Amino acid sequence: MGYGKTTAVRFVLQHTNAKILWHTVYADGVAYFWNGFCKALAPLGPELADSLQKLGLPTDAVLVQKAVELIGSVRLTQATVLVIDDYHFVAADSMDNFFGFLLANLPPQFHIVITSRTVFLPDVLAGLRLKGAVNYIGTDCFLLQPGDIAKYYALCGIVITKELQVRLFAYSEGWITPLYLYMLEYVEHGKFFISDNVAALVRSMVYQPLDASVKEFLHCICLFDSFSLEQAWYMWPEGNAAGLVEELFRKNAFIAKDAATGRYCFHNLFLSHVREAFAVQSQERRNALWERAGHWHLKQQECIQAMTCFENAGNFRFILMVLSTTKGAAITGEHKQKIIEYFDGCPQALKIENLAAMLVFIRFMISYNESVRLKAACAVFEGHIDAFAGTREQKNALWMEYERLLSLTKYNNIREMSKHHRNALYYMDKPVTGEENKGNWTFGSPSVLLMFYRESGRLAAQVEDLKECLPYYCRLADGHGSGAEYIMEAEAALHTGAIEKAEAVIHKGRHYAREKGQWSIMLAAAFVQMRLALLHGSYPEAVSLQKQIRDLIEARKQYLLLHTLDICESYVHLLLNMPGRTAGWIAGGDYTGTRLMFPALPALYIVHGRYLLANGEYRRLVGMADVFLAAAAVYPNLLSEIYTRIYLAAAYHKLTAKDEAISSLKAALAIALPDQVYLPFAENVSYIADLLKQLAAEEQYAGHVKQIFSLSKKYEQGIKKILRTHFAAPKPDLTARENEVAVLAAAGLSNREIAGNLVISENTVKARLKMVFEKLAIKSRAQLQERLKDSKATK
């Protein structure tokens, strides 16, 4: 702080022809930073800014790669520089990882300048510097040596002796801020008063000489890290705000103006002192200013900043007002502790007065799994809704939202959820609309059946339950969830071996989901169709389905579904015995950074368990099984438990623990057989065939084992056909990797999509494809498609 970083960057960039984008970071949290970062990129195209905002914080490898891909897709017509000033305020590993990856993959003509009080990404920086991807300027480059101090003062018309140069350097340590302040003292008093107390110098030389009215103005505006003239007018309604700002800017080197945005920025040293002066104002004065600042943020729809200001003013009434009017918009997981503090600290009387805010609290307590606080919030609502003094329509709207929220507490019990949906419909004057109805109905799960199959022996009944009950919710939520009942019906048919029924019903589900824009349900439908494509031995169809749904996700900016698609694609390749194509973040087994919601985890564990099995990591699989089973037991999710127990049986079998293997397989069969759920066993026959044959000798299993082997045979035929047609040993003139690239290119995937599928760079794809064209003496993808169709390139 105070080395002149920002000044130096501004000065250098003024002398370039580059397009300058500037984003100053403030200590408002990483979510607020990301929002500002997206806005800073808006001049490159509003579509880019919108896409990045809908992507949200890139907290894991999937989202980081997508964010960098979006930025890299911009076509720049001139050199462009993005400045991120005061990056140290971000303090988030997720953003460090993002920028580390971005800096290594910047598009041509795009450059980034990052200023920070701490060393940026020290672990990554060395590698990037070696590659020539980063230039690093440290504090040593900013320090003024004695000779530099003499030149600086000479430029300001002051000649100093060598002795004084050394003395000034000793006290300032070459730091320009105290040197500037020493100079101000010299100009005023005709001699140097050298001190190492920089804060005292700021007070005596910069703050104290200001007029009383200017100081009062600063107390009003210092609540913001930077400010616009509009903010100045709002905070200082005396009529001369513009004049005061201009005077401060002209006479004070500690206030700078951003030419791009027109905003005024305080130097941190000066701002710190002004805030110290603000802190000794009367409590009444401070509260009034904090409240005024809060209302300013609320006007800008910055609800987190508004609530922070109202918290500083000690005004819980306004905090509740923000919650009720914004419905908690922009509140993310990083604000969890703050929301809990607001709930705990708010007086009971105010909670009773603002039941709309209590509904927002209830929603967050459900998502935070805060059962005690949820019960307390519900008690407030139910105990005082009858005395609500609003109109009938307002009261009905509160009741309807309350019942809708209560339904979430009964997830995944279809009939219990539906009771609340029907209660809500009783109060409905019009359907509920809003962002919550545009979200992922499946919570990121690739399977509706996985979500709602919870009771052994009732699979058919639960399918009918959803078909009966879901329409009530769809009426309530303006079509949210449409088509899911038919996806579950198709999945149930597939899992019980009724292939033709699954193929017929899935199209009905897709139709209703597309009609209402239910993209997560569309993805679940595509997953069913991918598995059916494997059954029929049609790899191009499976790849085409993956491409279609990826294009849909991209077009609709449903980026959180990228994780779900990774789950689907990885499982398809595991069924083809290609564990090397499992998405890296799934194979690694570390999901702490993902934004996957809990209902999606059982599906993730199914894929991860199969990956461990395919890789022969039997002991690790046994060790992880408790984690998988615990997740499956929460709601419960029987399908996930079935798969886990099958994996356990296979692992124990490989470890020659015969009794444990048989016991685990019997446990899986005990859950699945009452509903004739055969697919999980059929997909894993290669691992458990011996165990199934052993159990076939027992009468209770004989018929079921026969059905499992029958379904397995169909899958085996389809997979063998795919492997023989598309993945047979290549001719000597095509390498294995070239063959893989050729197959995916012929299926219609772009170079970027092939790179993602094979976990290689786009440049590698281009190089491999060029070699394929040369070796096969073809010039286009259309010709490649024909060659593969005739199986000449792969047989």
Side-chain angles (χ1 to χ4, degrees):
M1 182 169 66
Y3 280 96
K5 303 181 298 296
T6 303
T7 303
V9 171
R10 290 185 190 280
F11 178 80
V12 171
L13 294 181
Q14 283 174 1
H15 297 80
T16 71
N17 294 319
K19 183 174 187 175
I20 310 301
L21 311 175
W22 195 286
H23 177 44
T24 301
V25 184
Y26 305 113
D28 292 315
V30 67
Y32 193 66
F33 161 76
W34 182 253
N35 184 53
F37 174 80
C38 297
K39 289 179 179 177
L41 294 179
L44 301 182
E47 186 70 16
L48 172 63
D50 181 59
S51 295
L52 288 171
Q53 283 183 320
K54 287 182 177 174
L55 179 74
L57 278 170
T59 53
D60 59 38
V62 175
L63 298 180
V64 164
Q65 185 169 343
K66 186 61 199 174
V68 172
E69 182 183 310
L70 288 169
I71 294 170
S73 67
V74 175
R75 296 292 174 259
L76 301 175
T77 57
Q78 68 179 109
T80 300
V81 180
L82 169 65
V83 180
I84 301 176
D85 198 17
D86 284 341
Y87 179 80
H88 49 272
F89 282 126
V90 176
D93 290 342
S94 58
M95 288 296 95
D96 288 350
N97 294 334
F98 165 69
F99 279 108
F101 190 69
L102 177 61
L103 291 173
N105 295 276
L106 282 176
Q109 291 195 295
F110 192 55
H111 311 277
I112 296 180
V113 176
I114 294 176
T115 75
S116 176
R117 294 181 205 164
T118 56
V119 178
F120 173 75
L121 292 178
D123 296 335
V124 177
L125 193 61
L128 292 174
R129 290 174 71 184
L130 282 174
K131 294 176 183 177
V134 163
N135 296 311
Y136 175 65
I137 302 173
T139 53
D140 56 321
C141 298
F142 286 93
L143 297 181
L144 299 186
Q145 299 299 322
D148 300 321
I149 295 172
K151 291 176 183 178
Y152 169 47
Y153 277 29
L155 286 170
C156 300
I158 302 170
V159 178
I160 59 175
T161 65
K162 286 188 177 181
E163 180 186 353
L164 190 54
Q165 294 171 28
V166 173
R167 189 170 165 221
L168 288 167
F169 178 76
Y171 275 89
S172 68
E173 297 180 340
W175 184 20
I176 196 165
T177 297
L179 289 168
Y180 169 73
L181 293 169
Y182 297 156
M183 185 176 63
L184 291 184
E185 279 200 315
Y186 178 83
V187 170
E188 184 170 341
H189 302 290
K191 59 182 180 179
F192 287 101
F193 294 93
I194 301 176
S195 166
D196 58 3
N197 189 336
V198 179
L201 287 169
V202 170
R203 181 174 63 252
S204 63
M205 298 308 303
V206 183
Y207 180 76
Q208 292 293 5
L210 296 173
D211 291 338
S213 61
V214 176
K215 291 177 182 176
E216 285 293 308
F217 170 75
L218 285 171
H219 297 161
C220 293
I221 206 68
C222 74
L223 305 186
F224 305 103
D225 292 306
S226 73
F227 63 92
S228 64
L229 277 179
E230 187 181 2
Q231 276 173 287
W233 281 107
Y234 187 87
M235 294 299 295
W236 180 258
E238 303 296 328
N240 62 337
L244 291 173
V245 171
E246 187 59 31
E247 180 183 351
L248 278 166
F249 176 59
R250 279 190 297 104
K251 295 182 177 180
N252 194 326
F254 287 85
I255 294 180
K257 184 177 182 181
D258 187 331
T261 64
R263 295 184 68 82
Y264 293 85
C265 307
F266 293 105
H267 190 289
N268 285 292
L269 284 168
F270 182 58
L271 181 60
S272 296
H273 180 74
V274 174
R275 285 178 173 171
E276 287 175 7
F278 168 81
V280 299
Q281 303 295 302
S282 69
Q283 185 71 54
E284 184 180 4
R285 171 71 169 158
R286 295 201 309 273
N287 288 350
L289 290 173
W290 277 120
E291 287 177 8
R292 194 162 185 80
H295 285 295
W296 166 265
H297 283 300
L298 188 56
K299 280 179 59 180
Q300 314 310 310
Q301 297 183 322
E302 298 169 345
C303 69
I304 293 297
Q305 289 73 24
M307 287 193 293
T308 300
C309 290
F310 293 140
E311 178 187 12
N312 290 335
N315 196 319
F316 275 96
R317 189 182 302 278
F318 283 156
I319 291 174
L320 295 185
M321 180 264 293
V322 173
L323 285 172
S324 60
T325 55
T326 66
K327 295 187 176 180
I331 295 175
T332 65
E334 71 169 318
H335 306 119
K336 173 181 176 178
Q337 195 54 45
K338 183 60 67 177
I339 297 301
I340 288 175
E341 288 174 9
Y342 289 156
F343 179 79
D344 291 347
C346 183
Q348 187 78 351
L350 289 181
K351 292 178 180 178
I352 293 169
E353 285 181 24
N354 201 326
L355 296 181
M358 292 309 298
L359 290 176
V360 179
F361 276 129
I362 288 170
R363 173 158 59 88
F364 283 117
M365 295 310 145
I366 291 172
S367 64
Y368 297 155
N369 196 27
E370 290 283 336
S371 57
V372 174
R373 291 182 173 90
L374 172 62
K375 185 177 180 180
C378 290
V380 172
F381 183 88
E382 292 182 10
H384 300 89
I385 183 63
D386 289 340
F388 179 73
T391 65
R392 182 190 68 82
E393 289 79 8
Q394 290 171 330
K395 188 173 185 178
N396 281 352
L398 291 174
W399 264 120
M400 182 174 68
E401 178 63 11
Y402 181 60
E403 289 288 353
R404 208 163 82 108
L405 289 170
L406 287 184
S407 74
L408 297 176
T409 67
K410 301 299 181 181
Y411 178 88
N412 58 354
N413 189 321
I414 296 170
R415 289 209 164 271
E416 289 300 312
M417 292 181 77
S418 189
K419 286 179 183 179
H420 291 293
H421 297 152
R422 296 178 206 212
N423 289 343
L425 283 172
Y426 175 80
Y427 297 106
M428 187 178 79
D429 293 310
K430 57 182 179 180
V432 177
T433 57
E435 288 300 316
E436 59 267 34
N437 292 344
K438 298 176 185 177
N440 297 330
W441 185 87
T442 65
F443 299 103
S445 170
S447 166
V448 180
L449 182 67
L450 181 65
M451 294 168 67
F452 290 105
Y453 179 34
R454 59 177 281 126
E455 189 176 344
S456 180
R458 290 201 71 250
L459 175 58
Q462 286 174 329
V463 169
E464 292 305 313
D465 284 348
L466 193 62
K467 289 172 71 175
E468 177 195 334
C469 295
L470 188 61
Y472 290 100
Y473 174 74
C474 291
R475 280 173 54 199
L476 178 69
D478 197 27
H480 193 227
S482 294
E485 67 270 58
Y486 299 110
I487 306 302
M488 184 174 177
E489 184 179 16
E491 288 183 282
L494 175 61
H495 279 72
T496 56
I499 308 301
E500 292 181 1
K501 180 179 179 181
E503 290 176 326
V505 176
I506 198 67
H507 292 287
K508 185 187 294 188
R510 278 181 65 100
H511 169 76
Y512 287 120
R514 180 177 286 280
E515 189 175 58
K516 291 295 185 179
Q518 298 302 296
W519 314 122
S520 65
I521 297 172
M522 288 284 291
L523 196 159
F527 188 37
V528 174
Q529 291 179 299
M530 289 176 207
R531 295 165 87 166
L532 288 169
L534 295 189
L535 188 69
H536 296 307
S538 178
Y539 185 67
E541 183 184 351
V543 172
S544 177
L545 284 162
Q546 292 172 19
K547 184 178 186 303
Q548 287 174 27
I549 202 68
R550 188 174 291 276
D551 289 345
L552 184 67
I553 289 169
E554 300 277 358
R556 302 296 175 176
K557 300 180 181 178
Q558 297 290 308
Y559 297 120
L560 289 183
L561 289 176
L562 290 172
H563 295 90
T564 313
L565 185 55
D566 272 356
I567 292 172
C568 299
E569 291 178 348
S570 296
Y571 194 66
V572 165
H573 285 116
L574 285 165
L575 291 176
L576 290 169
N577 301 312
M578 298 178 182
R581 292 195 179 183
T582 304
W585 65 275
I586 297 176
D590 181 11
Y591 319 125
T592 54
T594 69
R595 297 224 302 274
L596 281 173
M597 297 183 185
F598 191 85
L601 291 183
L604 188 59
Y605 293 150
I606 288 175
V607 179
H608 187 51
R610 177 66 185 247
Y611 173 80
L612 295 176
L613 197 58
N615 268 16
E617 298 184 54
Y618 307 124
R619 296 192 187 281
R620 185 177 174 192
L621 176 55
V622 171
M624 289 296 295
D626 285 345
V627 176
F628 298 167
L629 291 172
V634 171
Y635 286 118
N637 301 109
L638 292 190
L639 210 53
S640 183
E641 182 178 353
I642 292 169
Y643 273 99
T644 299
R645 295 197 181 281
I646 291 172
Y647 296 157
L648 263 178
Y652 281 131
H653 183 55
K654 291 291 185 180
L655 295 170
T656 65
K658 181 180 177 181
D659 291 343
E660 289 88 341
I662 289 293
S663 176
S664 188
L665 187 57
K666 283 184 175 181
L669 290 166
I671 300 168
L673 295 189
D675 296 304
Q676 299 180 2
V677 174
Y678 299 133
L679 184 65
F681 304 91
E683 288 177 339
N684 291 283
V685 154
S686 60
Y687 297 105
I688 58 172
D690 292 343
L691 299 174
L692 286 170
K693 289 175 183 176
Q694 182 177 335
L695 289 179
E698 299 181 30
E699 184 178 350
Q700 61 177 326
Y701 297 117
H704 295 297
V705 170
K706 184 178 180 180
Q707 291 294 326
I708 290 169
F709 275 115
S710 175
L711 182 57
S712 171
K713 187 174 182 181
K714 294 177 184 178
Y715 256 102
E716 186 180 349
Q717 290 171 344
I719 287 171
K720 281 184 176 179
K721 179 182 177 182
I722 290 171
L723 296 176
R724 182 176 64 250
T725 304
H726 299 286
F727 298 98
K731 289 175 64 176
D733 56 345
L734 276 191
T735 67
R737 180 63 88 188
E738 288 167 354
N739 192 68
E740 287 182 317
V741 170
V743 169
L744 294 176
L749 272 68
S750 67
N751 288 353
R752 183 180 297 168
E753 290 166 337
I754 295 171
N757 201 296
L758 299 180
V759 199
I760 57 178
S761 73
E762 198 170 338
N763 286 335
T764 301
V765 173
K766 291 177 183 176
R768 295 288 186 273
L769 203 53
K770 182 180 179 182
M771 290 301 298
V772 169
F773 281 15
E774 289 178 3
K775 289 180 178 182
L776 299 180
I778 58 176
K779 295 183 178 180
S780 69
R781 291 186 180 226
Q783 289 177 309
L784 177 63
Q785 215 166 22
E786 289 302 314
R787 292 292 296 272
L788 291 187
K789 189 181 294 183
D790 297 335
S791 300
K792 292 178 181 178
T794 55
K795 283 187 178 179

